[in-house]
Amino acid sequence: MNASDTLKNSKRVVIKIGSALLTNETREELNQGWIDNLAKDIHALNKSSKEVIIVSSGAVALGRKALGISADIAPEDIRLEQKQAASAVGQPHIFTGYYHAFEKLGITVAQVLLTTSETENRAMHLNARETLYTLLARGIVPVINENDTISTGELRFGDNDRLAVRVAQMIEADTVLLLSSTEGLHTEDPSKNPDAEHIPLVEDITDEHIKMAGDAIPGLSTGGMKSKIEAAQAATRAGISLVIAKELDGKCTLFKAQDNAPNARKRWIATHMKPRGSVIIDDGALKALQDGKSLLPIGVKALEGIFERGDAVSIQTGNGKGIGIGLSAYSAEDAQKIIGKQSADIHGILGYLGRDELIHRNDMVLS
Ligand code: GLU
């Protein structure tokens, strides 16, 4: 089974591309030929009605030269501000590479720079997700990287493995494909032991697999197998399969999504979100929610707490019983003005065109 076979049943795939693949041997120039081929592969996936989101590294690698950072300095030895400055130089460079490759195929690409807080923080999360959905609905391929210049943490290679999984959770992708210089998990580090065996399928990640992955290998462009296994753990627990490969038609390791994992996004809401307030709903709304519908303002009798758009609120019935949690599409202040009202009146009341739902069913977990 090659990497593209593992995508056969996926609808939405996040493909993460490591720095080593994007650069040529000197590691300082963009490998446009490689990107052109990737674009063709993605075009084929799009044609078989799969949605593809790219998470691409390479910004620091491509910006090093302009910053005068010599190729033999390991990333851990470069000062943070130097790396951040390098990424500012390199990012437009990589994006241009994608832009040209996809333009030839008639595909539009969009640059989306995220910080981890966007994938974790409420309002930013909601907006980032809606933006990505809007792009996908138009057949546009988002090209995501971390917004390295403003990120406050240490900038490490391997971070994008995690970012790819977070993005997958955020937009309910079913598979993450990590493309890098390795064909997947081996019983030992294959660069040290040529007899190391390749492992094509991992149904359950055990301590043994984690041991096989070893520690992060310091080097120009690899987060090592360790960060990939950690990403695989996070993904599979959230019901997302993760594939490690070097190319789409090559060998790979497939880490299978856990069957009993709840839908990734809902799990994220249930585990990451603390309610900042509550909405008290009427019987009609209760029935609608139990039938799998969204919560409309008209079904809400009262609100409690101070919350912003994108914050989690607990959903309660008239007798104070909590029935679930969801992300509010409106701040408490605006929600107060529209509860009990028809969705068609929202524009007139608030003076802007917001969502019809107070809590969309995709943003809601009932207990
Ligand atoms: N955001 C970094 C870059 O584009 C890379 C992070 C990673 O490789 O995981 O250079």
Side-chain angles (χ1 to χ4, degrees):
M1 188 167 67
N2 64 28
S4 43
D5 295 333
T6 63
L7 303 181
K8 240 189 345 245
N9 297 322
S10 327
K11 288 297 300 158
R12 190 174 282 161
V13 189
V14 175
I15 303 185
K16 183 256 162 175
I17 293 135
S19 304
L21 297 175
L22 287 171
T23 48
N24 65 8
E25 306 75 60
T26 65
R27 298 276 165 97
E28 284 169 344
E29 318 268 327
L30 197 64
N31 189 347
Q32 187 65 47
W34 189 89
I35 301 181
D36 288 347
N37 285 333
L38 174 82
K40 284 180 203 145
D41 287 339
I42 291 179
H43 187 38
L45 291 172
N46 278 164
K47 277 207 211 135
S48 59
S49 70
K50 297 184 196 315
E51 290 174 327
V52 177
I53 298 93
I54 296 175
V55 171
S56 181
S57 303
V60 175
L62 279 165
R64 293 171 61 122
K65 198 172 167 192
L67 266 287
I69 307 164
S70 96
D72 44 25
I73 303 179
E76 4 3 309
D77 298 331
I78 309 169
R79 294 165 68 101
L80 180 60
E81 67 272 19
Q82 289 265 316
K83 280 194 253 188
Q84 292 187 299
S87 81
V89 174
Q91 179 60 31
H93 210 113
I94 9 175
F95 184 73
T96 310
Y98 287 105
Y99 177 86
H100 288 308
F102 281 95
E103 191 190 29
K104 285 182 228 161
L105 303 167
I107 298 175
T108 304
V109 287
Q111 174 170 260
V112 179
L113 299 178
L114 297 176
T115 61
T116 351
S117 52
E118 255 129 38
T119 58
E120 261 150 28
N121 287 356
R122 35 205 188 96
M124 279 203 279
H125 169 94
L126 266 192
N127 285 13
R129 180 177 62 119
E130 290 310 316
T131 303
L132 290 170
Y133 280 157
T134 305
L135 293 168
L136 291 173
R138 296 287 305 178
I140 295 168
V141 176
V143 179
I144 301 175
N145 195 0
E146 177 143 10
N147 195 350
D148 290 330
T149 48
I150 62 157
S151 74
T152 49
E154 178 55 35
L155 206 174
R156 282 166 318 208
F157 290 104
D159 287 348
N160 276 358
D161 296 334
R162 270 183 296 278
L163 181 65
V165 174
R166 293 219 174 106
V167 167
Q169 283 184 272
M170 175 159 82
I171 56 166
E172 299 191 283
D174 40 61
T175 310
V176 171
L177 170 59
L178 301 180
L179 288 182
S180 72
S181 47
T182 160
E183 291 181 309
L185 187 63
H186 292 77
T187 48
E188 280 174 69
D189 182 348
S191 65
K192 294 199 187 113
N193 181 358
D195 295 331
E197 261 173 66
H198 177 260
I199 301 175
L201 174 69
V202 177
E203 305 233 24
D204 266 310
I205 302 171
T206 62
D207 288 348
E208 213 183 324
H209 295 118
I210 295 169
K211 244 193 254 139
M212 288 174 191
D215 284 324
I217 310 155
L220 183 79
S221 59
T222 173
M225 193 47 86
K226 194 172 175 231
S227 84
K228 295 188 170 45
I229 287 273
E230 284 164 2
Q233 272 179 315
T236 53
R237 279 183 195 146
I240 300 166
S241 293
L242 185 136
V243 183
I244 300 175
K246 203 165 170 174
E247 54 201 0
L248 270 153
D249 52 10
K251 272 206 287 201
C252 68
T253 300
L254 163 65
F255 296 86
K256 271 185 81 175
Q258 289 177 14
D259 287 340
N260 53 0
N263 158 312
R265 177 173 168 68
K266 301 225 163 171
R267 185 188 158 99
W268 187 87
I269 292 172
T271 54
H272 281 68
M273 297 305 225
K274 263 204 208 74
R276 314 246 161 181
S278 35
V279 295
I280 318 315
I281 62 171
D282 66 20
D283 292 345
L286 176 62
K287 168 102 189 18
L289 299 196
Q290 284 163 343
D291 289 345
K293 304 227 171 72
S294 296
L295 179 64
L296 300 178
I298 195 154
V300 179
K301 294 201 290 196
L303 300 172
E304 276 162 16
I306 299 165
F307 50 88
E308 292 303 321
R309 176 177 138 68
D311 275 345
V313 289
S314 85
I315 305 169
Q316 297 178 2
T317 59
N319 56 23
K321 190 170 162 252
I323 61 149
I325 180 169
L327 306 187
S328 174
Y330 291 91
S331 65
E333 196 187 329
D334 284 354
Q336 195 64 53
K337 297 179 190 152
I338 57 170
I339 56 173
K341 303 276 170 33
Q342 296 286 352
S343 297
D345 296 335
I346 295 176
H347 193 176
I349 299 169
L350 298 179
Y352 64 87
L353 189 58
R355 313 244 157 88
D356 283 350
E357 308 85 14
L358 185 61
I359 303 177
H360 193 276
R361 62 196 170 97
N362 291 345
D363 295 335
M364 188 189 300
V365 186
L366 298 185
S367 39

